Amino acid sequence: MMIPNFAPRAALLRAAAAAVLIGFAPELLAQAAPAPNKGDTAWLLVCTAIVIFMTLPGLGLFYGGLVRSKNMLSVLMQCVLVFALVAVLWSLYGYSLAFTSGNAFFGGFDRLLMKGLTPEANAATFSKGVVVPELGYFAFQAAFACITCALIVGAFAERIRFAAVLVFTVLWFTFSYVPIAHMVWFWPGPDAFTDQAAGDAATAASGFLFKRGALDFAGGTVVHINAAVAGLVGAWLVGKRIGYGHEAMRPHNLALTMTGAAILWVGWFGFNAGSALEANGAAALAFVNTLIAPCAAILAWTLGEWLGKGKPSMLGAASGAVAGLVGITPAAGFVGLGGALAIGFIAGLACLWGVTGLKRLLRADDALDVFGVHGVGGIVGALLTGVFAAPSLGGTGIYDYVGNKVAENYSIGSQLLVQGTGVAVTVIWSGVVAFIAFKLAGLLTDGLRVPADEEREGLDITSHGESAYDR
Amino acid sequence: MMIPNFAPRAALLRAAAAAVLIGFAPELLAQAAPAPNKGDTAWLLVCTAIVIFMTLPGLGLFYGGLVRSKNMLSVLMQCVLVFALVAVLWSLYGYSLAFTSGNAFFGGFDRLLMKGLTPEANAATFSKGVVVPELGYFAFQAAFACITCALIVGAFAERIRFAAVLVFTVLWFTFSYVPIAHMVWFWPGPDAFTDQAAGDAATAASGFLFKRGALDFAGGTVVHINAAVAGLVGAWLVGKRIGYGHEAMRPHNLALTMTGAAILWVGWFGFNAGSALEANGAAALAFVNTLIAPCAAILAWTLGEWLGKGKPSMLGAASGAVAGLVGITPAAGFVGLGGALAIGFIAGLACLWGVTGLKRLLRADDALDVFGVHGVGGIVGALLTGVFAAPSLGGTGIYDYVGNKVAENYSIGSQLLVQGTGVAVTVIWSGVVAFIAFKLAGLLTDGLRVPADEEREGLDITSHGESAYDR
Amino acid sequence: MMIPNFAPRAALLRAAAAAVLIGFAPELLAQAAPAPNKGDTAWLLVCTAIVIFMTLPGLGLFYGGLVRSKNMLSVLMQCVLVFALVAVLWSLYGYSLAFTSGNAFFGGFDRLLMKGLTPEANAATFSKGVVVPELGYFAFQAAFACITCALIVGAFAERIRFAAVLVFTVLWFTFSYVPIAHMVWFWPGPDAFTDQAAGDAATAASGFLFKRGALDFAGGTVVHINAAVAGLVGAWLVGKRIGYGHEAMRPHNLALTMTGAAILWVGWFGFNAGSALEANGAAALAFVNTLIAPCAAILAWTLGEWLGKGKPSMLGAASGAVAGLVGITPAAGFVGLGGALAIGFIAGLACLWGVTGLKRLLRADDALDVFGVHGVGGIVGALLTGVFAAPSLGGTGIYDYVGNKVAENYSIGSQLLVQGTGVAVTVIWSGVVAFIAFKLAGLLTDGLRVPADEEREGLDITSHGESAYDR
Amino acid sequence: MKLIVAIIRPFKLDDVREALSEAGVSGITVTEVKGYGRQKGHTELYRGAEYVVDFVPKIRIEAAVPDNLEDIAIEAITAAARTDKIGDGKIFVLELQHAVRIRTGETDDDAL
Amino acid sequence: MKLIVAIIRPFKLDDVREALSEAGVSGITVTEVKGYGRQKGHTELYRGAEYVVDFVPKIRIEAAVPDNLEDIAIEAITAAARTDKIGDGKIFVLELQHAVRIRTGETDDDAL
Amino acid sequence: MKLIVAIIRPFKLDDVREALSEAGVSGITVTEVKGYGRQKGHTELYRGAEYVVDFVPKIRIEAAVPDNLEDIAIEAITAAARTDKIGDGKIFVLELQHAVRIRTGETDDDAL
Ligand SMILES: Nc1ncnc2c1ncn2[C@@H]1O[C@H](COP(=O)(O)OP(=O)(O)O)[C@@H](O)[C@H]1O
Ligand SMILES: Nc1ncnc2c1ncn2[C@@H]1O[C@H](COP(=O)(O)OP(=O)(O)O)[C@@H](O)[C@H]1O
Ligand SMILES: Nc1ncnc2c1ncn2[C@@H]1O[C@H](COP(=O)(O)OP(=O)(O)O)[C@@H](O)[C@H]1O
């Protein structure tokens, strides 16, 4: 695959990440160091809290409601433990390897073992001279890492060995999440772009995809495609559930699934609008887009089901909401309201196909449709971001940090190419890492799958020694 | 009905809405345009997120827990689709017709099809020279429109045709929610009140009820009475559920209902305190009132049940909380803490009567007591706002934007008259629009009601092809 | 017990409370009164909302899921009513007695009956010249009082008389919560520390434990130990549930318990990070610690169960999260990230022992392990705060408000002694008050316990006349 | 004595219970069951997965009656439970050899 | 063989199961049911709506026993389930014609 | 006529239902039950509290059949429900005296 020379355009980027100021540009700190605005700090911390809320209980309920009651706790348990594990790994090395300066694929060791993470440390935003407490940024990004890894468990739910989930998570987090986050989001921050030369240097020091100009506002590639591909690989390797295709595997509690979807949505405001890192108009734009894109997706999915199957379902509407949220994630701060409605509508239809037509083609028992929703929605969103970010279509365009203004010529075609590159790199990288990680996990834990009779009886009792419900 | 000449007093108002600055007073923008404070922006966006949380999943769970399990998903589905539909309509024309300058009943077309809604646009607040990102204000008000329309579905739950809900929603949103919001909340913003003449002009340009001086801090009329009347009309027109009155129709899951009530409460802090539009002392006042009024209402309802029926119930306490929240909504920023306790206590008792004594009088199967709680609580709250806003009773009084101070003579009697006018206009307007909208919906969708055997089997399976629970 | 002379060191404290500025230091107000920063205000109000969210529905679901379904509503009802009752009492006298100037054990009457609680009143923070709206502080602290009292009900769940809960709550709130809050958290605020003499006077005017230098960032003693001891006393006095020890008393819905735990966690960010009272780096530190300590505790509890019992359980993981949250509460703003991980891990293991080994020793039917988690975790956290607050271990040390810098010599040994004093005073005080309060409640309500057949049938039907579930 | 087992539509339970009370049947025991028979089930769709649900919710009533009440009870049930649509259900009659009231130890007709 | 059907109070299930085990009954099948009889139900109130709930939760036990165990089993149940308050429940005995153990195809007494 | 009661493993329900249909049995009634027998239960641990759960989830099928279908039905059930592991369940056969189809009032064989 030929990758065009994006270098000159990369200096123009505005993306959903910030560099660690300290250590990167000490000379900047020497002069009057900017202090965080308390409105930004409040915003960032609140957003972080609600992104955490997305995984626990949001994702847990969304997923848990969809499985059979005998596996409810296993799903919750996997979400909780993946969350806890990743948050600790994030502290120990993940943050440092993702968000400090290193090479194009991995960061460095500046923040290893939480070194230097004090209340006084600040992190850059997307505005020159505007910083936020680095601990806030650390926590915000921790929440992203946690939910990404937790998303994966939906694909092989109801039959995987618990220990295998943990081993897989450690490996995949380290070798897929961390580098993809670095590739897509790491840059030296806006204050490095003092003139063209400095800008070029800063661009060169950025992540592999960032420097190519890939737009991913809040994690279409890093979070959704990344997790979805890992899930799909897992579903293939772990194999289909016993009885899949001829026994009914009805969701055991769609009220919980809807509650989970709604909590995901609320948290997603933090996810997307918080990715602006400041409480400003850009955050408000991302917020509104995160509101209306899923609404359009709900209407699309509902309409699709109504026309195609005769009845519109609540699970369809809830799935549509998530589809729209996934679709708008990479675009949230880059597109206008019209673009958001379009992306939402298209993502809704695409994911409806993802969980029906595509699912039949893939022939994997992706139990909770991680790929059908997050994969399809993520790819559609990533590509459409390239389209609707165009100022001519109401988008914000790309910001030129050297010229301090929106860059003038936006080419949908070449941006689409960049976006496609981002998608392709993520799909391949995550796929390969996931494959190896699952294989290793299987070796280390006596097989990826529980024995058949344990699967029949349910993982709650056999893996965790408890039952979700008693009447 | 004789409407006294409130015009001179209207310039003194402080209410829960803001005008769109841009386009309205371009000369203001010409001079040093104020920039939003990031604390305000953070506050407004967070409040918006939690108001959205109120509908999904809050209202869905609150309502859903109260129906029989066979109709659980239909309630959730109606909440989700009404939300999605209204949010999209809000983007397309609702916001423009409600919150831009037009006549006394409808706004104009300045924001039609999201025109001009960019990250740079700002909206006025209640303080001179203080603005917030207009997109934030747009989203905040969108959340209000969504929940208002969703509130209605409780009245005719468990038997209405799904398509009829959607048709009704489009009509009622357009012809009742939008104009009532405009009548009560539209004004040109504080900066227009530069002197007496300008103030008079600004008052004249305000909404029909706003200019008369009606106080509605966060939506007692616009949201609660408006929705409750529509629900009551719907309950009458759709007719009683099969078996109503002789079969037991027990709530299927009060744990969910309580969860929903609690989520409503948390979101209501955004609803009421967010209506201050700034993160200031007024917001803190509204916040505290939103905390203690429902507490007083819980105690009142519990006491009432305990003394009247022998046992205090959890559903009673949860209903009391909502009653208190509804009651304090129009008053939240206008009354002191003592007033809030009084309003809460009275609203608690009034709504207890609303769902028992009054309900028997009304002879409608308002399935989830939309009128008994939101109608009664809304009316009680609207009227008591006129009482407890009085500075002599610890209220804030009315602010004189020309004199830049609290107006001196507050007359409880004449304010009560204004409040009563607001209530009456809302009741009649919403009632008439709802009646026509239901009739039209019935015509367009083959009857408002599902066939009897579908009602028996439950709407989840028959309308949506799915079941909420499987064990 | 000899209490060393801590007086000179108390002037160096930074703790989780603020004094009421108005009335305390009128001369300060005379000069240029500081205005609240809107970012701080937004932060404080949002934190308050999510702390409220902790009790309703968080604690309700966490506890409710653990009881048998026949008692679900009684638990929710107790949580709701305790919340409402305490919030009203807080308004009437609690806030005044806890947070205005009085003696070392009780505050005064400056805020009795909500006097002076206007939108204009401000409260001090931990930074000189920085204030927040007092109503925000009032509400924040109200939420603490409410959840503390609600925590207790878990200990005697499933058999206590509802009226007894209410009477007990009034007494214990008044005579234990209020004075302990005053003892630990009341101080005249940082602006009083103008020089050594003024600092000494301010210290002398502080609460009994505050002036001794006890560190309790967000309520390890005031909230957790306080409530846990009361619960344990209650469990003893109310007696064991019928069938305890030989009938299975399985949790009826662990999905709700997990949801509750997750909601508690999210709210705890407000609880701990909000206790910084400002949206600054200290808040970010407390936030991160509140994220990673429970993660370490989850890993610890899970590991402990896995190695000790053969299977790791979801209830264990959820309990571990709460254990870690309790443990980090007193330490959140004082320790570094490494300290947080250590405290979390230790608290996780300690509480696992608390609900197993210690529980067998205590021989009380503390139904929902209030003491095992909140008591053990609170004590462990309080003591370890003294260890890991040490700058040498990455902690913040103690701030010298006279010298306006971190004090130089931190002695872990003597701080441990102070912390132990705080624990001991809280245990004894709460224990004695709880004992008397339960005895009085029993006298006033015809016995603490419901009759045996009502306990058999379940409190939902017999005490509240309703059932949680119907299918 | 007879043990009468009736499978009926859930919403008819209250009517049937009243009819049996009036007919002199002193008690009944009720179970929530699922029935499969001539009455059609329905289809459910969860994203891509379509399930045909053949079972319909029914209520199973069990009533022990003295021999002389057999016909009366059958008639009472039939009258109360009938809607004339497929799926109204069945009545099965079994011979009951003994009955005991646990509380008193009374047996047979006295136990009912 | 006999098929013994017992309706008992839910909290007595463990006691009855143990008593039957000791009496030599090899297995039982248990159903959650609702009973209507002399024992009073209760009233529930949801806002304005008051419902009289006539049914009380009961447990239905089914045990197939060889003829010689009939009396022993009845006694065991009676002893274990009795509280002497209205609502203790009933025991019904039916004649069991055949029994089959699915796993082995063994029949009648061997199947139990 | 016979009333056949079968206790089977829950996941075998669909197979058994199909087998019975093919065998000519016109309808069945199904109950979720818990069984106690040779099959081992499991242990659950909730914090400090350990519970031994002796009961395993089972499905109880009730099918009224004409006499000539008795053996065929038993065979169909046995074949479909068998896994050869402990806990496959039992089949019990009772004599059915009468049957009534509520909808039509048809009786006995016609009612099935
Ligand atoms: N042979 C049978 N054995 C046991 N139960 C039966 C049998 N046939 C029908 N049933 C029960 O009776 C219910 C109604 O039967 P169905 O054939 O649907 O309608 P109808 O009785 O009106 O002909 C079924 O759902 C099932 O529960
Ligand atoms: N005639 C009957 N047929 C079937 N079940 C019965 C009958 N009478 C009572 N029962 C069952 O036995 C239970 C206890 O009966 P009840 O009359 O309340 O008390 P007691 O057995 O102590 O007289 C009832 O709840 C019901 O489930
Ligand atoms: N004597 C009995 N009476 C009624 N039900 C029985 C009896 N014995 C067993 N059962 C039911 O059959 C099920 C299977 O029996 P079990 O002894 O575990 O295995 P198996 O039938 O393979 O020997 C039990 O769970 C129980 O529901």
Side-chain angles (χ1 to χ4, degrees), chain B residues 40 250 254 278 311-312 314, chain C residues 38 135 462 464 466 468 470:
Chain B
D40 288 339
R250 303 198 295 176
L254 287 179
E278 294 174 64
K311 284 175 185 166
M314 208 293 303
Chain C
K38 283 175 157 181
L135 281 167
T462 55
H464 305 296
E466 49 184 353
D470 185 61

Side-chain angles (χ1 to χ4, degrees), chain B residues 311-324:
Chain B
K311 284 175 185 166
S313 72
M314 208 293 303
L315 175 57
S319 308
V322 177

Side-chain angles (χ1 to χ4, degrees), chain F residues 4 8 18 22 26 29-30 32 50 52 57 66 69 108-109:
Chain F
I4 299 182
I8 61 167
E18 272 168 38
E22 277 163 31
S26 58
T29 299
V30 160
E32 290 177 14
E50 193 164 332
V52 179
L69 278 183
D108 298 345
D109 280 12

Side-chain angles (χ1 to χ4, degrees), chain F residues 8-28:
Chain F
I8 61 167
R9 293 183 193 276
F11 76 88
K12 285 292 191 185
L13 174 58
D14 280 335
D15 294 347
V16 170
R17 184 186 55 74
E18 272 168 38
L20 284 174
S21 278
E22 277 163 31
V25 175
S26 58
I28 60 174

